[in-house]
Amino acid sequence: MDLKALLSLAFLVKALAVYTEREHPHIVFILADDLGYYDIGYHGSRIQTPVLDKLANQGIKLENYYVQPICTPTRSQLMSGRYQIHTGLQHKVIYPAQPLCLPTDEVTLAEKLREAGYATHMVGKWHLGHYQKSCLPTSRGFDTFFGFYNCAVGYYTYSKDTWFKGNESNQHVYGDDLWRNDVLVASKYKGKHKTRVLASEAQNIIMNHGKSRPLFLYLAFGAVHVPVQVPKKYEDMYRDIENKDRRQLLALTTLMDEAVGNVTAAMEEKGLWDDTILIFSSDNGAATSAGGSNWPLRGGKKAYFQGGIKVAGFVSSPLLPPHQHGSTNTELIHVSDWFPTLVRIAGGQLNGTKPLDGFDQWDTIRHNFPSPRKEILINIDPLSERDEYEETTHPWKNQNFDVYVNSGLIVGSWKLLTGHQDHAYWRSPPEIPSVQIQTFKFSQSKVLSLYNIESDPTEQVDLSECMPGVVYRMLEKLGAYNSSAVTPNFPDNDLEADPRRHGGAWGPWA
């Protein structure tokens, strides 16, 4: 390239940067719960999500975007920018009675944005631990919190039920879970739909926001997680779908879409939208047993297959370069990348954090530059279930990594899975009846599998036997990751958490 061409390219890059280098833009991060890859209009579903479709079509769709297969790990990596093997949250989610939370010595995204001068507000589902006050959102960088600490909180009751192990027997225990900062407010909102209540709270925050400070709003809907409950008028929009679970799931998604529209309308009414960057993401793939769909991807929630970890995500903003509006980005991006990316957008600093696993993806998103990320550690879970064939001889048993441990790794176009991999199915939504449901469990020969997710995005062809060199190199990488992992923290339930000891509420008890 000659000097003239180089100067022209430099001028173009500088000109494009004008659209996004405004100081301290407002940041709105919307996190859906269990929303499947297929369950958004722009992915070809018949679902009605006009607001999300419009935002995505005015922004940049992230089509090579990954999260974690379950709730707590995704939220922990969003807030910390660090893999769960480095925070001790490798195993399952945080349960209501566990004395466990995102380690309090982890610096959070909210803390960094507040340090950069932002007003920080959280509305919705926390699910990063609540056993002591130092674990709560307002102790982790948020100026205000309105929401719930657990998952699966009733949409009208604001009650969380769970099986709680008592002194003599297991008991089904209920507790209220809706808080304004540290005050229980569940009784005030009973009978009002949770999705609408959360959106209304977000609207109030926006309308009362003073323009002297930039705004960071983290809106974590409980939708579309079970128990799926939705007003009849939305369900009637899908009355032709016979499967009740699917019909209600689509209806709840449409209600959430409407709620997002109310929030963005408030941003426009307040005069904030033109200086706002909005990010939308799901926290994991759909629970297909509850009516969700990740079609045509394999697996679903809890799975290390694509259906559990590859989700709908996009960035929408008037600050994006005009030629990027409506574009698709296929660079590799992970949920942990939002930490350094948003801190950079905010004009903040990363000093004081532990070593991050996330990458600054802002140039990748706004200018479609190559992603600095070349691989994603899905997880290494040494507490995962081990099958009966554990002691049998496997060709990779004595290599760099224990292949009987549940793990997953993506490097470029290659994806390696080890251990007991459940949810190993392809399942079409009921509205596509011509496609047959296929299910099977891993057998002994499937304790290790290798897929080329570029040429085989639905993970149908295991290449581990014919590509031993790739397997060996990826096991070496897993071994290196494992050497940096901390011991999983997954304590037993604490009887002191019983909501009957705390006024009928799930809240801090330690």
Side-chain angles (χ1 to χ4, degrees):
M1 185 179 294
D2 59 26
L3 179 60
K4 184 177 180 180
L6 283 171
L7 290 173
S8 297
L9 178 60
F11 177 79
L12 175 61
V13 170
K14 184 176 181 180
L16 292 174
V18 169
Y19 290 97
T20 51
E21 290 297 349
R22 297 189 188 182
E23 186 176 3
H24 300 311
H26 306 296
I27 299 170
V28 177
F29 196 108
I30 299 178
L31 188 65
D33 199 343
D34 288 9
L35 182 71
Y37 179 83
Y38 184 69
D39 291 336
I40 195 164
Y42 68 79
H43 275 168
S45 171
R46 55 97 24 110
I47 197 168
Q48 298 180 46
T49 54
V51 173
L52 294 173
D53 294 346
K54 181 179 179 180
L55 288 169
N57 289 327
Q58 290 175 342
I60 300 171
K61 301 170 190 173
L62 308 178
E63 291 299 318
N64 200 13
Y65 172 57
Y66 289 85
V67 294
Q68 298 305 117
I70 48 178
C71 307
T72 294
T74 289
R75 293 159 202 271
S76 72
Q77 295 190 33
L78 170 64
M79 281 294 120
S80 71
R82 285 163 48 80
Y83 285 147
Q84 64 221 62
I85 65 164
H86 296 142
T87 60
L89 298 174
Q90 301 97 308
H91 189 61
K92 298 186 177 180
V93 299
I94 297 176
Y95 292 112
Q98 281 185 300
L100 175 64
C101 69
L102 176 68
T104 55
D105 61 351
E106 295 287 346
V107 177
T108 70
L109 174 61
E111 288 174 316
K112 277 296 171 186
L113 294 185
R114 185 158 70 179
E115 183 183 285
Y118 277 68
T120 57
H121 302 278
M122 180 180 173
V123 176
K125 174 180 171 180
W126 178 236
H127 211 185
L128 289 177
H130 62 272
Y131 79 102
Q132 57 187 14
K133 288 189 175 181
S134 61
C135 299
L136 304 182
T138 50
S139 297
R140 308 306 300 268
F142 287 101
D143 297 334
T144 68
F145 170 68
F146 178 87
F148 39 99
Y149 300 138
N150 296 289
C151 71
V153 173
Y155 284 88
Y156 291 105
T157 64
Y158 301 95
S159 178
K160 166 65 180 176
D161 66 294
T162 189
W163 285 99
F164 193 89
K165 187 175 182 180
N167 292 327
E168 298 179 356
S169 63
N170 289 342
Q171 302 176 55
H172 204 192
V173 174
Y174 292 82
D176 285 344
D177 189 3
L178 184 67
W179 301 80
R180 183 179 298 282
N181 300 322
D182 59 354
V183 177
L184 183 70
V185 294
S187 61
K188 179 180 178 181
Y189 293 93
K190 287 182 184 293
K192 299 177 181 179
H193 198 279
K194 183 172 65 178
T195 303
R196 287 174 169 164
V197 167
L198 296 179
S200 178
E201 180 69 18
Q203 290 171 259
N204 289 337
I205 289 171
I206 292 164
M207 298 309 295
N208 291 319
H209 178 70
K211 295 186 178 181
S212 61
R213 298 176 68 191
L215 170 67
F216 172 53
L217 173 61
Y218 173 37
L219 175 55
F221 284 113
V224 293
H225 197 292
V226 294
V228 177
Q229 299 161 332
V230 66
K232 185 176 182 298
K233 78 169 189 176
Y234 296 91
E235 192 173 346
D236 286 346
M237 297 169 68
Y238 302 96
R239 61 170 60 93
D240 59 307
I241 295 182
E242 294 182 4
N243 183 289
K244 181 178 179 181
D245 289 340
R246 181 64 176 164
R247 184 172 67 248
Q248 292 186 329
L249 187 286
L250 297 183
L252 182 55
T253 307
T254 296
L255 173 57
M256 180 182 68
D257 180 83
E258 179 184 284
V260 172
N262 292 337
V263 172
T264 55
M267 295 294 290
E268 291 178 348
E269 182 180 348
K270 184 67 175 180
L272 304 179
W273 179 249
D274 287 345
D275 292 309
T276 294
I277 294 170
L278 181 145
I279 300 102
F280 178 85
S281 171
S282 180
D283 65 343
N284 47 251
T288 57
S289 61
S293 177
N294 307 297
W295 185 255
L297 304 179
R298 183 179 183 179
K301 180 179 181 177
K302 300 182 181 179
Y304 292 6
F305 292 103
Q306 296 290 83
I309 60 175
K310 188 174 183 179
V311 298
F314 62 80
V315 179
S316 189
S317 173
L319 301 177
L320 294 169
H323 74 283
Q324 290 284 62
H325 293 185
S327 66
T328 295
N329 185 295
T330 58
E331 293 294 316
L332 189 62
I333 298 174
H334 182 250
V335 65
S336 63
D337 298 336
W338 293 120
F339 187 107
T341 302
L342 296 183
V343 171
R344 175 193 171 172
I345 289 172
Q349 302 295 323
L350 294 175
N351 56 296
T353 68
K354 294 184 179 182
L356 298 179
D357 296 303
F359 292 84
D360 176 2
Q361 297 278 13
W362 194 223
D363 288 333
T364 301
I365 293 169
R366 61 179 179 159
H367 297 319
N368 207 27
F369 287 179
S371 173
R373 176 178 289 281
K374 305 305 176 187
E375 60 193 53
I376 293 172
L377 176 68
I378 301 169
N379 195 20
I380 300 171
D381 182 4
L383 300 183
S384 58
E385 178 182 352
R386 298 171 76 101
D387 286 327
E388 295 177 356
Y389 52 73
E390 176 180 353
E391 299 304 323
T392 63
T393 301
H394 188 278
W396 296 105
K397 184 174 181 180
N398 297 315
Q399 294 297 331
N400 303 288
F401 181 79
D402 181 358
V403 296
Y404 295 99
V405 169
N406 204 20
S407 78
L409 176 67
I410 294 172
V411 179
S413 60
W414 294 108
K415 180 176 178 182
L416 185 74
L417 300 177
T418 70
H420 176 95
Q421 296 293 336
D422 208 347
H423 304 276
Y425 54 74
W426 296 269
R427 183 170 296 165
S428 63
E431 61 265 32
I432 312 180
S434 60
V435 182
Q436 298 298 313
I437 294 174
Q438 304 180 55
T439 64
F440 63 89
K441 284 187 177 276
F442 269 23
S443 64
Q444 178 178 329
S445 63
K446 291 289 185 180
V447 70
L448 180 149
S449 292
L450 177 72
Y451 303 95
N452 187 316
I453 53 176
E454 182 176 350
S455 60
D456 178 25
T458 56
E459 298 169 291
Q460 299 187 49
V461 181
D462 175 14
L463 299 173
S464 59
E465 292 185 8
C466 59
M467 301 295 291
V470 175
V471 172
Y472 183 87
R473 290 192 295 273
M474 293 187 75
L475 286 175
E476 278 192 320
K477 283 183 174 290
L478 279 172
Y481 276 117
N482 198 41
S483 67
S484 71
V486 301
T487 302
N489 191 1
F490 196 75
D492 293 334
N493 286 341
D494 185 347
L495 294 178
E496 290 299 318
D498 191 331
R500 293 170 295 186
R501 301 187 181 194
H502 304 283
W506 292 108
W509 71 87

